[in-house]
C-alpha cells in the first residue's frame, strides 16, 4: 500500500515529521517497508536560478555558438557560452551555475564546471526545459515571462511538488487501512491513547446540494445478494479535460497515471477513502435506467482495454435497458466510458459482495484497484457520503451541476456486529493489564461504540469499516496495535505444563526415514498440494477435490496423487541439465465422495531418475531401475523395525509391485509409464515409490519390540541353484520358504539369475544363498542338510523347481 506523507498529514490533528510518523505506523501494525523522497522534477531544481541575458554576441571561433553575459542576481554577472539559436539579450532564462547538478529527461545527471568552449570560458549553462526536467522540448532555451526576477531560485519560480512516500506492508485482513483516511484513523487513535487527549481525524467538508433534477437516472438491483447497496448521482454540463496540477501531483506521487479530471477524481477518492467509484457517460445509459444483474452465460462484452470477453452467468454486470455497461466492481466497458466529448455523467458508489468480485476478477484476469478493495471488503455505510464528496470535487475541477437526487438502493441495511470481550481475557491474551478506561479510549478512537459495560466485560459495536472483526481475540489485537506492538511486556518467567505428545512416534519415524534417505544422497522436496486438473482423467477427477476459488486457471484441484507434482519437479530439473535425481517428499493427497465428505492421506514418495552411479575409470554407469526402487522401499520398511517385508506383482497391473509390511499393504513401486512421463517432456526412466505413511505407522504400532542377544555361535551358509519357470518371481520363492517355518533360517538372498536356451524353453536359473544360525549351539552339517532338504522338497512341490547339481 502506497501512502503520501503530504496527503496523510492533511487528516492529522498536527504535523508529525516523516521519520516519527514512520515509527508510529510500524508500531501500530502498519509496517513501513520503505520511506523515500518524491520529487515531481528530479533534483527539485536545486542550484538553478533565474537569470537575465544582458548581452549576446557571436562566438569568435564557432558559427553556431553565442557568448552571453547573464545577470543571476545582485551584482553577479556570468559569462556563458550558449548553442541555442533562440538566445537573445533581454530574455529571462534558467541558469545552471557552476557546481549545480541538472537532471535531463533523458540521459545521465550532469554537474556544471567552468569550461573552455572553443577558447572562451563558460561559467554555467542556459537551460532548455528538457535539460532540467520541467518539460520535453529541446527546440531552444526556455524563455520565461518578463516579470521573472533574476536571482530567484528556479524552485521558487516553478514550485515543483515534493513529498515523502511510504510503502506499507498490509496484512490481508487490514482492508480498513487501504486508504489515506483509514491510515489516518489509526494514527489518530494512537495519538489519542498516548497523549490522553482526543485527536479526531480531520474530516473533509461535505456541503453537498442538488442543483436541479434535470437528469434523473433510475436504479434497479436484481441481484441483491451480490449487490446489497447501490448509490448513484447525475452530474450534467461537465468539461472533461486535463486535471489541475494539485490532483495530478497527488496521483503521480503514489504511482498513479493521470488520465482526465473525471477519472482522476474517482482514483483520488479511491485512495482517499478506500471506496471504489465508477463514472458512466450518462448519455450512454439507454432507457435512463441502471440495472444491476447477471447476464446469460457466454454473453460477449468489450471492456475498456478493447478486448472482447465472454461473460459467465456468475459475473455481476451493471447494465442499461439494452445491454451491459460495466463488469461490476472490476472493469468498465467501451460504450459507457467517459471521454473528451462526455458532457453528462452518472457516478456510481456501491458495495459488491467480496466473493463475487474475486471470482469475476480472477476468471477474466482483471486485477484492478477497485476489484482488490471490493474483494477484501469496503465500508458499506460510507457509500453515499463518499459519493457526495466525489460529486463536489467533480463540480470543482470539471464544472457542471448536480442534476439529480442521490439514488440509494439499500433494501436490507446491515446491523453492526457486536462483540463482547472480558477484561481478564484481554490480560490473558496480551500479557498486559490494561485499565478499562484505556481500553474504551482506544476502541472509541477506532470507531467502536460501547453498547454494554459490566464489571468484567465490555460489549462493543464494530464499525462497518472493519469487517474482519468478529471475535474477542480481534478486539484484543486492536487494543495491542494502538497501544503499540513495541510496548508488549516481556515476562520475566514462562510457565509451561508437560504434555504427552500423541504424534511423537509418527514424527520421530519421519525424521529417522528422512535422515536415512539424505544419508543415501536423496534430496527432500516440497511440492504444491494444489495442481492442474489436466493431468488427470475424468474418472479420477470424479473423486477429486476441486478448488472453489482457485488463484489461477492452472491450479484448480487438490492433488489426488503425488506423482504429477513430483514429475513437475523432475521436469524442471531436467530442463536445467540436472539429470541424475534422487528425491523424496512427505505430503498428502486428497479425495472426496462428492457428498460433502472429504479425506486426506499421508504419503512418503520417492522419485528416482538418471544414473545411480556415474561412469568412472573403475566402474561403469549404473542407471536407476525398478530393482533399485524395490531395495529402497524394502530398506525403509525394515528401518521402521519390520523384518517381514514382501514385494508382490499387482493383480491389476503387472508393472506395479505392491509392498507389504507383514500382512499390511503399505505402498507400491513402479516405473512411470512412458505416456505419463512424455506428458511432462521427460524422456528418461523414472522410478516411483509411493508409501502409504499412515499404513506404515499402523504396521509399526503392531510390532512388538523384542530384544535379542547377538548369537554366540557361528552362522552357516548354503547356496541352492534351481531351474524354474521364467515367470517365477523371487517373491513367490520367499512365500514358499516362509511357509516352511524354519526357525533357524536367519536370512535368504538372491545372488544370481541366469537364462539360456540350454535350460529349456521358458526356463531360468535362480541361485539363492541361505543363512542358518542356532542361538543355543553350533549347527552341524547334518542339521543344515536337513533344513536344505526341506527347502528343496518345498520348492519342488510348490514351484516345480528342478535343483541344479
Amino acid at each position: 500500500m502506497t501512502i503520501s506523507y503530504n496527503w496523510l498529514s492533511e487528516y492529522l490533528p498536527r504535523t508529525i515529521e516523516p521519520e516519527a510518523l514512520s515509527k508510529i505506523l510500524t508500531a501500530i501494525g502498519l509496517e513501513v517497508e520503505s520511506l523515500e523522497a518524491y520529487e515531481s522534477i528530479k533534483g527539485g531544481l536545486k542550484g538553478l536560478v533565474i537569470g537575465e541575458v544582458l548581452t549576446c554576441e557571436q562566438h569568435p571561433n564557432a558559427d553556431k555558438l553565442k557568448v552571453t553575459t547573464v545577470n543571476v542576481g545582485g551584482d553577479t554577472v556570468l559569462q556563458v557560452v550558449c548553442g541555442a539559436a533562440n538566445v537573445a539579450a533581454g530574455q529571462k532564462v534558467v541558469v545552471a551555475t557552476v557546481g549545480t547538478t541538472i537532471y535531463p529527461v533523458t540521459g545521465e545527471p550532469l554537474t556544471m564546471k567552468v569550461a573552455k568552449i572553443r577558447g572562451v570560458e563558460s561559467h554555467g549553462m542556459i537551460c532548455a526545459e528538457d535539460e532540467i526536467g520541467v518539460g520535453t522540448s529541446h527546440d531552444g532555451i526556455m524563455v520565461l515571462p518578463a516579470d521573472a526576477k533574476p536571482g530567484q531560485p528556479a524552485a521558487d519560480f516553478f514550485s515543483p511538488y515534493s513529498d515523502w512516500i511510504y510503502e506499507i506492508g498490509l496484512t490481508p485482513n487490514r482492508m480498513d487501512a487501504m486508504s489515506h483516511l483509514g491510515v489516518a484513523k489509526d494514527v489518530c487513535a494512537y495519538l489519542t491513547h498516548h497523549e490522553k487527549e482526543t485527536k479526531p481525524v480531520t474530516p473533509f467538508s461535505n456541503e453537498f446540494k442538488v442543483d436541479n433534477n434535470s437528469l434523473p437516472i433510475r436504479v434497479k438491483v436484481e441481484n441483491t445478494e451480490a449487490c446489497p447497496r447501490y448509490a448513484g448521482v447525475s452530474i450534467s454540463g461537465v468539461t472533461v479535460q486535463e486535471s489541475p496540477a494539485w490532483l495530478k501531483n497527488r496521483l503521480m506521487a503514489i504511482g498513479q497515471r493521470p488520465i482526465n479530471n473525471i477519472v482522476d477524481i474517482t482514483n483520488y477518492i479511491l485512495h482517499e477513502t478506500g471506496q471504489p467509484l465508477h463514472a458512466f457517460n450518462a448519455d450512454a445509459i439507454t432507457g435512463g435506467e441502471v440495472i444491476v444483474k447477471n447476464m446469460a452465460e457466454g454473453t460477449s462484452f468489450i471492456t475498456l482495454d478493447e478486448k472482447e470477453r465472454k461473460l459467465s452467468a456468475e459475473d455481476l454486470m451493471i447494465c442499461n435497458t439494452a445491454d451491459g455497461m460495466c463488469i461490476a466492481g472490476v472493469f468498465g466497458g467501451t460504450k459507457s466510458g467517459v471521454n473528451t466529448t462526455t458532457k453528462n455523467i452518472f457516478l456510481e458508489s456501491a458495495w459488491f459482495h467480496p466473493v463475487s468480485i474475486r471470482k469475476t476478477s480472477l476468471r477474466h484476469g482483471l486485477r484492478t484497484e477497485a476489484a482488490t478493495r471490493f474483494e477484501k471488503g469496503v465500508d458499506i455505510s460510507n457509500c453515499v457520503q463518499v459519493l457526495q464528496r466525489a460529486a463536489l470535487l467533480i463540480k470543482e475541477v470539471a464544472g457542471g451541476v448536480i442534476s439529480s437526487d442521490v439514488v440509494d438502493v439499500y433494501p436490507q441495511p446491515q446491523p453492526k456486529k457486536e462483540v463482547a470481550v472480558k477484561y481478564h481475557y484481554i490480560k490473558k491474551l496480551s500479557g498486559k493489564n490494561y485499565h478499562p478506561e484505556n481500553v474504551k479510549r482506544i476502541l472509541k478512537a477506532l470507531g467502536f461504540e460501547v453498547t454494554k459495560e459490566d464489571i468484567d466485560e465490555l460489549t462493543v459495536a464494530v464499525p462497518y469499516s472493519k469487517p474482519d472483526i468478529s471475535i474477542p481475540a480481534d478486539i484484543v489485537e486492536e487494543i495491542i496495535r494502538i497501544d503499540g506492538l513495541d510496548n508488549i511486556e516481556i515476562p520475566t518467567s514462562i510457565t509451561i505444563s508437560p504434555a504427552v505428545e500423541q504424534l511423537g512416534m509418527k514424527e520421530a519415524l519421519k525424521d529417522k526415514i528422512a535422515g536415512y534417505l539424505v544419508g543415501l544422497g536423496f534430496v527432500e522436496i516440497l511440492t504444491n498440494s494444489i495442481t492442474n486438473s489436466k493431468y488427470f482423467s475424468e474418472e479420477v477427477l470424479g473423486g477429486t477435490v476441486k478448488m472453489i476459488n482457485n488463484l489461477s486457471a492452472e491450479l484448480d484441484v487438490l492433488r489426488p496423487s503425488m506423482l504429477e507434482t513430483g514429475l513437475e519437479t523432475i521436469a524442471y530439473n531436467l530442463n536445467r541439465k540436472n539429470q541424475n535425481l534422487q528425491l523424496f517428499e512427505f505430503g498428502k493427497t486428497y479425495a472426496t465422495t462428492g457428498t460433502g465428505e472429504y479425506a486426506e492421506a499421508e504419503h512418503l514418495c520417492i522419485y528416482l531418475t538418471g544414473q545411480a552411479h556415474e561412469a568412472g575409470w573403475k566402474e561403469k554407469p549404473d542407471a536407476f531401475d525398478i530393482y533399485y526402487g524395490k531395495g529402497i522401499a524394502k530398506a525403509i520398511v525394515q528401518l521402521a523395525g519390520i523384518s517381514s517385508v514382501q514385494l508382490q506383482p499387482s493383480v491389476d497391473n503387472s508393472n506395479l509391485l505392491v509392498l507389504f509390511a507383514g500382512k499390511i499393504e503399505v505402498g507400491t513401486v513402479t516405473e512411470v509409464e512412458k505416456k505419463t512421463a512424455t506428458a511432462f517432456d521427460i524422456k528418461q526412466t523414472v522410478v516411483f515409490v509411493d508409501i502409504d505413511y499412515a499404513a506404515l505407522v499402523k504396521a509399526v504400532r503392531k510390532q512388538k519390540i523384542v530384544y535379542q542377544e547377538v548369537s554366540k555361535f557361528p552362522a552357516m551358509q548354503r547356496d541352492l541353484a534351481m531351474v524354474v519357470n521364467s515367470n517365477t518371481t523371487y517373491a513367490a520363492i520367499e512365500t514358499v520358504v516362509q511357509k516352511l517355518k524354519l526357525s533357524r533360517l536367519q536370512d535368504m538372498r538372491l545372488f544370481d539369475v541366469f537364462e539360456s536356451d540350454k535350460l529349456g524353453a521358458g526356463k531360468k536359473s535362480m541361485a539363492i544363498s541361505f543363512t542358518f544360525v542356532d542361538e543355543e549351539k553350533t549347527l552341524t552339517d547334518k542339521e543344515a542338510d536337513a533344513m536344505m532338504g526341506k527347502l528343496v522338497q518345498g520348492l519342488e512341490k510348490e514351484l516345480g523347481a528342478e535343483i541344479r547339481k
Side-chain angles (χ1 to χ4, degrees):
M1 179 67 193
T2 306
I3 295 293
S4 156
Y5 169 77
N6 291 346
W7 196 346
L8 179 62
S9 296
E10 287 189 1
Y11 309 122
L12 302 181
R14 61 177 174 81
T15 301
I16 305 173
E17 291 300 313
E19 285 289 348
L21 186 55
S22 176
K23 292 179 180 178
I24 291 175
L25 292 172
T26 299
I28 59 179
L30 303 176
E31 183 182 1
V32 176
E33 296 178 341
S34 68
L35 172 61
E36 296 180 357
Y38 170 81
E39 296 171 323
S40 60
I41 300 175
K42 192 172 183 180
L45 304 179
K46 292 175 184 176
L48 297 169
V49 296
I50 307 301
E52 181 179 7
V53 181
L54 301 178
T55 63
C56 179
E57 298 177 356
Q58 185 66 43
H59 192 292
N61 302 318
D63 294 338
K64 294 184 178 181
L65 297 178
K66 303 287 179 64
V67 178
T68 67
T69 55
V70 184
N71 175 14
V72 292
D75 297 328
T76 305
V77 177
L78 302 177
Q79 177 174 282
V80 179
V81 175
C82 180
N86 65 330
V87 65
Q91 292 174 335
K92 301 293 177 64
V93 294
V94 178
V95 180
T97 57
V98 173
T100 298
T101 300
I102 61 173
Y103 297 85
V105 174
T106 57
E108 297 296 320
L110 179 65
T111 301
M112 296 297 107
K113 298 178 181 179
V114 176
K116 272 194 175 183
I117 303 175
R118 294 290 184 93
V120 177
E121 275 194 356
S122 180
H123 295 262
M125 175 179 173
I126 302 175
C127 302
E129 63 178 45
D130 70 325
E131 292 170 332
I132 58 176
V134 299
T136 57
S137 173
H138 195 70
D139 294 337
I141 61 168
M142 180 187 296
V143 179
L144 303 179
D147 59 355
K149 297 179 180 179
Q152 181 184 13
D156 293 345
F157 182 85
F158 290 99
S159 299
Y161 182 77
S162 62
D163 201 349
W164 288 93
I165 302 300
Y166 299 96
E167 283 297 333
I168 295 176
L170 280 184
T171 51
N173 65 316
R174 292 305 313 279
M175 64 288 293
D176 59 303
M178 293 184 73
S179 66
H180 286 76
L181 272 173
V183 173
K185 288 177 182 177
D186 270 10
V187 175
C188 287
Y190 178 90
L191 297 176
T192 296
H193 172 60
H194 289 275
E195 298 181 4
K196 308 301 181 187
E197 183 180 345
T198 301
K199 304 285 185 180
V201 175
T202 305
F204 45 72
S205 60
N206 192 349
E207 301 173 355
F208 180 84
K209 184 178 68 174
V210 177
D211 297 310
N212 59 55
N213 277 290
S214 62
L215 190 59
I217 302 290
R218 301 182 304 280
V219 173
K220 180 181 178 182
V221 180
E222 293 185 3
N223 188 344
T224 56
E225 182 179 350
C227 179
R229 188 173 193 181
Y230 189 97
V233 69
S234 301
I235 306 169
S236 62
V238 299
T239 301
V240 180
Q241 57 187 1
E242 185 179 351
S243 295
W246 71 266
L247 180 54
K248 290 193 293 183
N249 285 333
R250 281 284 167 87
L251 294 177
M252 288 190 293
I254 60 172
Q256 297 293 308
R257 179 176 62 87
I259 298 173
N260 60 53
N261 50 3
I262 303 298
V263 175
D264 291 350
I265 286 294
T266 61
N267 285 334
Y268 178 85
I269 292 294
L270 172 70
H271 290 277
E272 179 184 55
T273 68
Q275 172 67 45
L277 302 175
H278 190 77
F280 295 93
N281 183 344
D283 296 329
I285 302 178
T286 306
E289 183 176 20
V290 169
I291 305 170
V292 185
K293 65 178 183 179
N294 298 82
M295 301 184 76
E297 182 76 31
T299 300
S300 178
F301 181 71
I302 300 176
T303 47
L304 282 171
D305 55 2
E306 297 184 347
K307 292 183 180 180
E308 183 179 357
R309 303 178 189 274
K310 297 296 182 180
L311 300 177
S312 164
E314 294 183 358
D315 294 334
L316 188 68
M317 295 292 294
I318 311 299
C319 309
N320 54 39
T321 56
D323 51 20
M325 299 188 296
C326 172
I327 302 176
V330 179
F331 210 38
T334 54
K335 293 182 179 179
S336 61
V338 174
N339 53 51
T340 53
T341 63
T342 300
K343 293 299 179 184
N344 305 312
I345 65 171
F346 177 76
L347 194 60
E348 164 197 283
S349 177
W351 193 96
F352 300 114
H353 199 287
V355 173
S356 172
I357 296 301
R358 182 169 176 79
K359 285 183 177 180
T360 296
S361 174
L362 291 172
R363 187 180 295 118
H364 296 290
L366 294 169
R367 305 297 294 147
T368 60
E369 292 263 13
T372 301
R373 282 161 173 78
F374 277 127
E375 69 185 29
K376 292 182 182 296
V378 298
D379 186 350
I380 195 170
S381 68
N382 214 24
C383 290
V384 172
Q385 184 181 6
V386 171
L387 182 69
Q388 293 173 341
R389 159 75 167 159
L392 290 174
L393 278 177
I394 288 174
K395 280 187 65 176
E396 178 184 329
V397 302
V401 293
I402 298 172
S403 299
S404 76
D405 292 320
V406 171
V407 180
D408 184 17
V409 180
Y410 193 15
Q412 296 179 327
Q414 297 182 10
K416 286 186 175 181
K417 289 183 291 187
E418 289 196 354
V419 179
V421 60
K422 295 183 181 295
Y423 290 113
H424 75 267
Y425 179 75
I426 297 174
K427 180 181 179 181
K428 176 183 176 182
L429 209 59
S430 67
K432 188 172 181 178
N433 192 11
Y434 288 97
H435 192 281
E437 289 302 317
N438 287 337
V439 171
K440 288 188 286 185
R441 183 186 297 111
I442 290 173
L443 293 177
K444 287 179 179 178
L446 288 171
F448 292 84
E449 298 175 20
V450 176
T451 58
K452 184 181 178 182
E453 185 177 5
D454 296 324
I455 296 175
D456 189 41
E457 187 175 61
L458 187 69
T459 303
V460 293
V462 180
Y464 291 106
S465 59
K466 295 181 177 289
D468 64 307
I469 305 293
S470 60
I471 58 176
D474 296 331
I475 301 294
V476 179
E477 181 187 357
E478 294 294 286
I479 295 167
I480 293 174
R481 277 198 318 104
I482 301 305
D483 183 46
L485 297 174
D486 295 335
N487 294 327
I488 297 175
E489 297 173 355
I490 301 174
T492 56
S493 62
I494 298 176
T495 303
I496 60 173
S497 300
V500 177
E501 177 54 67
Q502 297 295 328
L503 300 177
M505 187 278 284
K506 180 180 176 182
E507 295 303 318
L509 178 60
K510 189 178 290 187
D511 287 342
K512 186 177 181 181
I513 293 171
Y516 172 74
L517 291 172
V518 169
L520 290 176
F522 281 78
V523 174
E524 185 171 9
I525 61 173
L526 180 65
T527 59
N528 196 344
S529 58
I530 306 173
T531 188
N532 197 330
S533 60
K534 74 176 184 180
Y535 297 149
F536 309 101
S537 65
E538 289 299 324
E539 182 181 357
V540 173
L541 289 174
T544 299
V545 181
K546 298 175 179 62
M547 301 295 293
I548 295 175
N549 196 14
N550 47 301
L551 294 174
S552 69
E554 291 77 22
L555 301 176
D556 58 348
V557 295
L558 289 176
R559 62 185 176 196
S561 161
M562 290 180 61
L563 172 62
E564 289 72 21
T565 51
L567 291 178
E568 286 181 334
T569 302
I570 290 174
Y572 181 89
N573 280 270
L574 294 180
N575 289 337
R576 287 155 182 78
K577 304 302 180 183
N578 186 15
Q579 296 177 324
N580 303 324
L581 300 170
Q582 295 173 259
L583 310 174
F584 74 97
E585 177 180 13
F586 287 96
K588 292 182 178 181
T589 58
Y590 307 86
T592 178
T593 60
T595 58
E597 295 181 3
Y598 297 91
E600 57 183 55
E602 286 189 84
H603 295 258
L604 163 60
C605 291
I606 294 170
Y607 312 88
L608 301 163
T609 189
Q611 302 293 332
H613 304 288
E614 293 190 16
W617 68 272
K618 197 176 181 181
E619 59 185 358
K620 295 180 180 180
D622 183 15
F624 288 116
D625 56 19
I626 195 167
Y627 299 106
Y628 197 99
K630 285 172 59 179
I632 291 293
K634 186 174 180 179
I636 288 173
V637 177
Q638 291 175 334
L639 183 72
I642 302 171
S643 57
S644 177
V645 186
Q646 282 191 351
L647 283 144
Q648 298 179 3
S650 169
V651 177
D652 301 323
N653 184 351
S654 59
N655 294 321
L656 185 73
L657 296 176
V658 181
L659 177 66
F660 288 90
K663 295 183 179 180
I664 300 175
E665 183 180 330
V666 296
T668 58
V669 181
T670 186
E671 284 188 2
V672 177
E673 293 182 359
K674 287 187 178 180
K675 180 181 178 182
T676 303
T678 303
F680 291 85
D681 200 25
I682 297 172
K683 297 180 176 62
Q684 60 192 52
T685 299
V686 178
V687 178
F688 177 55
V689 179
D690 185 2
I691 295 176
D692 183 336
Y693 191 66
L696 179 61
V697 171
K698 180 181 177 182
V700 173
R701 290 189 190 280
K702 284 191 172 186
Q703 289 289 111
K704 290 183 179 180
I705 299 176
V706 178
Y707 294 91
Q708 186 175 356
E709 186 181 359
V710 176
S711 178
K712 299 176 183 178
F713 304 99
M716 184 177 291
Q717 288 188 336
R718 293 291 180 90
D719 295 339
L720 183 66
M722 68 191 85
V723 176
V724 294
N725 293 330
S726 58
N727 59 357
T728 301
T729 64
Y730 179 64
I733 296 174
E734 281 186 315
T735 302
V736 171
V737 173
Q738 287 173 0
K739 284 181 180 180
L740 295 174
K741 297 182 179 179
L742 300 175
S743 60
R744 288 179 287 186
L745 177 62
Q746 187 184 55
D747 188 29
M748 60 182 291
R749 179 176 61 86
L750 176 69
F751 67 87
D752 184 53
V753 178
F754 173 69
E755 293 187 68
S756 171
D757 294 338
K758 295 179 181 180
L759 297 174
K763 298 290 184 178
K764 67 179 177 182
S765 172
M766 300 179 73
I768 301 171
S769 175
F770 295 94
T771 303
F772 303 98
V773 67
D774 193 321
E775 302 293 338
E776 297 178 355
K777 61 184 179 66
T778 302
L779 278 173
T780 64
D781 288 337
K782 184 178 180 180
E783 289 171 327
D785 290 341
M787 288 186 283
M788 288 298 293
K790 288 183 179 180
L791 288 171
V792 170
Q793 289 178 6
L795 293 169
E796 287 177 339
K797 180 180 178 182
E798 298 290 337
L799 301 177
E802 180 184 341
I803 307 304
R804 298 182 68 188
K805 303 293 185 177

